[in-house]
Amino acid sequence: MKILVTGGLGFIGSHTAVELQQAGYEVVIIDNCSNSSESVLDGIQRITGIRPEFELLDLRDKEAVDRFFKRHSDLKGVIHFAASKAVGESVEKPLLYYENNLNTLNYILSDLKGMETANFIFSSSCTVYGQADVMPITEDAPVKPAESPYGNTKQIGEEIIRDTCRAHPQMKAISLRYFNPIGAHSTSEIGELPLGVPQNLVPYITQTAAGLREELAVFGDDYPTPDGTCIRDYIHVVDLAKAHVIALQRLLNGDNMENYEVFNIGTGAGSSVLEVIRSFERVSGMKLPFRIAQRRSGDVIEAYADTTRANDILGWKSESSLDDAMESAWNWERKIRGISD
Ligand SMILES: NC(=O)c1ccc[n+]([C@@H]2O[C@H](COP(=O)([O-])OP(=O)(O)OC[C@H]3O[C@@H](n4cnc5c(N)ncnc54)[C@H](O)[C@@H]3O)[C@@H](O)[C@H]2O)c1
């Protein structure tokens, strides 16, 4: 069965391409390499023994997208990762984000809705909940006004998909609301490749340990949490990738209860920034240089998932520990920086 993975050269997309191929699916990747490189195909091939079909294509080009779907009328599903994802940049360049994250979604759904088999998985985010009132966060928690244009594209994206499914009952879609994906493949053949200064905690930690950054700034230690630092739900990227395969199978088997469904994908456990640092120090045997800095505006205090729906209905559960994920992230960083034991 042929599955389109948009953004399949990116962090989460590449790990999902691997899991799909290992589950027996034929993968076609579309990417414009705006935040990735074609060499990721080599890593996927080294892990699976199969080089996925690849189209260097910008999804903002509607005619090129239409032509792609005409050529691939035998597609059985689409997993749509391609998007811009830097929160700060989205505040400075909102139109770029609305174009890249929403126009592309529109073009794909326009072509998909006319197909006989129209199965669609969307990369959404826990950012739609903002600072939720109750922990852990269930899928029924209210969607809060978005803090950034990036967050808004995820909220509007979900609405576009919901409305499209309502108007086209033969379409089936699932939005997966990711919590905080971290880590890398156990082979260290693929992993996260942030451009410039990392916006996320874990690549910042590993780059600091690798000597690329002087020290890590911990933004605030006076939050109302047990150790005063912010709490997030860090999920291993391979567990997250597997959730996509299971969600796709749900649609292909017709096991879905409605033609549009939403699932949280997290571990169900929160970890503070200091706990993540301690985990890194445990698995690496290193001391990480860090200092406490001012709170950063826009940071929510805590966010971790209630995963009951994903566990019981989707039939998926995260398997890896925080230490597993940190170890894989460190092994990947060492590999790309050429750091030996
Ligand atoms: N990483 C996270 O923390 C996180 C959390 C929640 C949700 N998400 C969402 O998951 C998805 C994947 O995230 P990621 O971390 O793998 O990001 P990523 O940047 O590593 O991957 C996205 C890929 O899409 C490609 N792309 C972007 N615009 C494109 C376009 N117009 N045409 C073709 N390709 C295009 C990029 O080149 C890149 O390879 C995104 O939708 C993101 O918003 C990510």
Side-chain angles (χ1 to χ4, degrees):
M1 282 196 212
K2 198 198 271 185
I3 307 299
L4 167 62
V5 180
T6 75
L9 298 186
F11 174 41
I12 308 168
S14 58
H15 289 82
T16 303
V18 164
E19 295 303 317
L20 284 167
Q21 290 191 330
Q22 288 180 335
Y25 293 98
E26 184 187 338
V27 172
V28 186
I29 290 176
I30 286 182
D31 208 298
N32 67 353
C33 295
S34 56
N35 199 32
S36 55
S37 109
E38 266 191 67
S39 64
V40 173
L41 291 169
D42 301 333
I44 297 173
Q45 184 173 6
R46 279 196 291 269
I47 298 170
T48 64
I50 305 163
R51 195 172 188 83
E53 190 179 334
F54 173 60
E55 293 233 8
L56 181 65
L57 190 155
D58 192 324
L59 292 161
R60 290 173 294 187
D61 180 347
K62 184 173 182 346
E63 283 172 14
V65 174
D66 290 345
R67 281 197 301 273
F68 175 89
F69 274 90
K70 280 205 183 84
R71 275 199 313 278
H72 294 271
S73 56
D74 54 342
L75 280 176
K76 296 291 178 237
V78 177
I79 307 184
H80 181 45
F81 293 102
S84 302
K85 63 166 184 177
V87 173
E89 186 188 48
S90 80
V91 176
E92 286 157 27
K93 301 175 184 166
L95 294 179
L96 183 131
Y97 275 68
Y98 288 115
E99 182 190 26
N100 204 37
N101 295 7
L102 296 180
N103 290 13
T104 57
L105 175 64
N106 260 318
Y107 301 157
I108 292 169
L109 292 178
S110 305
D111 287 321
L112 191 65
K113 70 174 170 38
M115 291 176 71
E116 213 171 294
T117 320
N119 296 314
F120 186 74
I121 312 284
F122 179 62
S123 298
S124 190
S125 166
C126 67
T127 181
V128 302
Y129 300 118
Q131 179 57 71
D133 303 319
V134 181
M135 290 296 136
I137 306 172
T138 71
E139 290 83 352
D140 298 324
V143 167
K144 295 271 179 77
E147 295 271 350
S148 68
Y150 167 73
N152 210 19
T153 66
K154 293 298 172 191
Q155 297 189 4
I156 299 170
E158 285 197 11
E159 288 170 10
I160 291 173
I161 300 164
R162 189 199 57 213
D163 290 344
T164 308
C165 285
R166 208 173 268 161
H168 302 278
Q170 93 291 357
M171 249 202 78
K172 292 189 270 184
I174 291 177
S175 286
L176 299 178
R177 291 178 178 163
Y178 314 158
F179 279 67
N180 295 74
I182 60 166
H185 198 267
S186 59
T187 58
S188 301
E189 293 290 358
I190 53 172
E192 192 169 3
L193 280 171
L195 284 182
V197 181
Q199 304 296 310
N200 294 332
L201 176 62
V202 172
Y204 208 105
I205 289 178
T206 55
Q207 286 197 6
T208 304
L212 274 80
R213 317 267 154 222
E214 209 168 299
E215 62 179 3
L216 170 78
V218 175
F219 297 111
D221 67 347
D222 54 355
Y223 284 102
T225 60
D227 66 21
T229 63
C230 291
I231 290 178
R232 298 286 180 273
D233 184 339
Y234 295 95
I235 165 126
H236 196 304
V237 65
V238 173
D239 281 337
L240 175 59
K242 288 178 179 163
H244 291 80
V245 179
I246 292 175
L248 179 74
Q249 280 162 351
R250 178 176 176 80
L251 297 184
L252 289 167
N253 296 341
D255 292 338
N256 52 307
M257 290 184 294
E258 292 166 47
N259 74 331
Y260 177 55
E261 297 178 317
V262 174
F263 294 98
N264 283 342
I265 302 295
T267 65
S271 304
S272 72
V273 177
L274 294 181
E275 283 171 336
V276 175
I277 293 172
R278 275 197 293 275
S279 167
F280 174 78
E281 291 185 334
R282 217 168 19 245
V283 300
S284 67
M286 294 173 70
K287 198 98 199 93
L288 189 84
F290 73 91
R291 71 184 160 87
I292 306 297
Q294 291 286 316
R295 288 183 181 195
R296 194 170 53 171
S297 78
D299 272 346
V300 302
I301 302 165
E302 60 177 349
Y304 54 96
D306 183 319
T307 57
T308 309
R309 200 188 278 185
N311 300 161
D312 296 351
I313 299 177
L314 192 59
W316 167 90
K317 203 171 180 350
S318 80
E319 287 166 1
S320 303
S321 67
L322 178 62
D323 281 7
D324 295 336
M326 293 305 290
E327 190 173 12
S328 68
W330 179 228
N331 287 342
W332 165 248
E333 188 75 53
R334 285 195 310 160
K335 177 172 175 198
I336 58 177
R337 307 294 165 203
I339 301 170
S340 51
D341 289 329

